[in-house]
Amino acid sequence: MSQPDAAKPVVLVTAAKLAPEAVAILEAAGYAVPCTSGYPSEVELLAAIAEHRPVALLHRQGIINGTVMDAAAPALRVIARHGAGVDGIDLSAAEARGLTVTRAAGANSRSVAEHAMALMLSLLKDLPSVASGMREGLWEKTSRMTRDVEGVSLGLVGYGAIGSKVARFADAFGMRIAAYDPLLPAGPLPGPGDRAADLTTLLARSEVLSLHCPLDATTRGMIGAAELAVLPRGAILVHTARGGIVDEAALLAALDSGHIAWAGLDVFAKEPLDTASPLRGHPRVLPTPHLAANTPLGAVGMSTGAAESIVAVLAGRLPALPGAVVIPGGLRAAA
């Protein structure tokens, strides 16, 4: 990526890189596109803002709080999330400052749903343990039985763009699907599965629980010790949503006791995950480094969705991507 032209307005990327397709969109619209380092601290963000005076932040990593927003005033007009989850942006602060916040809604949904299914199938078949045994010289052809996928009860928390795709994938395997999503309109699910009346009802029937809800005040810590205890003994947890939804200490305790057989985790309360975290080496955890969306289609979709939203907002237009606007900000009249 070339050095920013001082004569051009700047879109600052809060990460070490951005897909070339998105850079091309922004540069064609007349913007310079510098990047920070990966997972920039507040200090680094403030320094980058002081250097570049951005009109937009394309948010991939780090935290965008009121202090960061104030440092970018009055030039900053829009914060565009590279993905669907906006928990790394202080939305109340953005709204109070009249900023527009967008997200690349649905751009990575298939990639994340595929990753959730990959974790689920691997754990239903005990593949981490089987592979470990092979490396240790075991040959468990007759001594080990794994599970049938068909007929397993899958509980989905969240039935939006990602959860509904997981439901379709799981339905093809013959799984019995139920979902809890209080954000959906009343009535049957708009895809495979039965609707659970409440979270407890869903947990009680879920041999596999897969999380696909946003992180907000209502979902932070939603899956704790009490909720894990409601799951059937030997249940599997698959988590590709946001780390703060699960109480990680409670999950470790449930894994150690054997109540939870496996956990497939792509997200963590603190990222990057500490090298000393017991979740990294636990024999009943299959961890991945928040890369579910990192496929060619997913990465480009998130990047270009964010870039196109920035171009639209700065031109005074609503983004074309459905569901992109989180906070209208200066676009309230257009909305």
Side-chain angles (χ1 to χ4, degrees), residues 9-320:
V10 168
V11 174
L12 179 64
V13 180
T14 66
K17 61 182 179 179
L18 184 68
E21 294 88 344
V23 175
I25 289 170
L26 293 166
E27 290 183 340
Y31 299 102
V33 192
C35 291
T36 67
S37 68
Y39 292 95
S41 66
E42 182 179 294
V43 170
E44 182 182 349
L45 283 174
L46 294 176
I49 286 168
E51 178 181 358
H52 298 296
R53 310 308 308 173
V55 295
L57 296 175
L58 199 156
H59 177 238
R60 286 196 65 188
Q61 297 163 349
I63 301 297
I64 308 299
N65 57 25
T67 301
V68 172
M69 297 174 201
D70 288 341
L76 182 65
R77 290 177 53 195
V78 56
I79 304 169
R81 172 66 182 145
H82 181 282
V86 291
D87 49 283
I89 303 169
D90 186 333
L91 297 180
S92 297
E95 185 166 29
R97 289 157 177 79
L99 298 173
T100 298
V101 178
T102 68
R103 63 190 185 114
N108 61 2
S109 59
R110 185 176 182 90
S111 303
V112 178
E114 288 176 350
H115 195 82
M117 285 302 300
L119 292 172
M120 191 183 307
L121 294 172
S122 295
L123 298 180
L124 281 166
K125 296 297 184 181
D126 289 345
L127 294 189
S129 177
V130 171
S132 178
M134 289 289 288
R135 287 191 290 270
E136 294 170 3
L138 300 179
W139 185 259
E140 299 175 288
K141 175 175 171 56
T142 58
S143 60
R144 179 189 285 266
M145 295 284 283
T146 64
R147 299 167 79 169
D148 293 308
V149 177
E150 184 173 5
V152 169
S153 295
L154 168 64
L156 300 170
V157 179
Y159 203 88
I162 298 170
S164 61
K165 287 183 174 65
V166 173
R168 291 199 293 274
F169 295 158
D171 186 56
F173 280 89
M175 299 180 79
R176 294 183 292 130
I177 303 157
Y180 170 68
D181 190 336
L183 300 180
L184 283 180
L189 295 175
D194 300 323
R195 187 163 190 164
D198 53 58
L199 180 61
T200 301
T201 300
L202 181 80
L203 295 174
R205 63 177 289 182
S206 299
E207 296 172 278
V208 178
L209 181 70
S210 193
L211 305 180
H212 304 287
C213 52
L215 175 62
D216 57 27
T218 66
T219 62
R220 186 174 295 278
M222 179 175 65
I223 304 299
E227 290 75 23
L228 292 168
V230 176
L231 289 167
R233 185 170 183 82
I236 292 169
L237 174 68
V238 173
H239 191 13
T240 56
R242 284 293 185 271
I245 295 167
V246 173
D247 181 332
E248 292 175 353
L251 175 59
L252 283 165
L255 288 163
D256 288 341
S257 73
H259 185 76
I260 302 299
W262 288 106
L265 307 177
D266 187 53
V267 291
F268 304 90
K270 180 184 177 184
E271 296 182 359
L273 183 64
D274 288 341
T275 55
S277 170
L279 292 171
R280 281 184 178 265
H282 197 286
R284 291 291 177 177
V285 174
L286 178 54
T288 56
H290 203 156
L291 52 65
N294 291 1
T295 68
L297 290 177
V300 171
M302 289 186 294
S303 296
T304 57
E308 289 167 354
S309 291
I310 286 172
V311 171
V313 170
L314 292 176
R317 306 190 309 269
L318 286 170

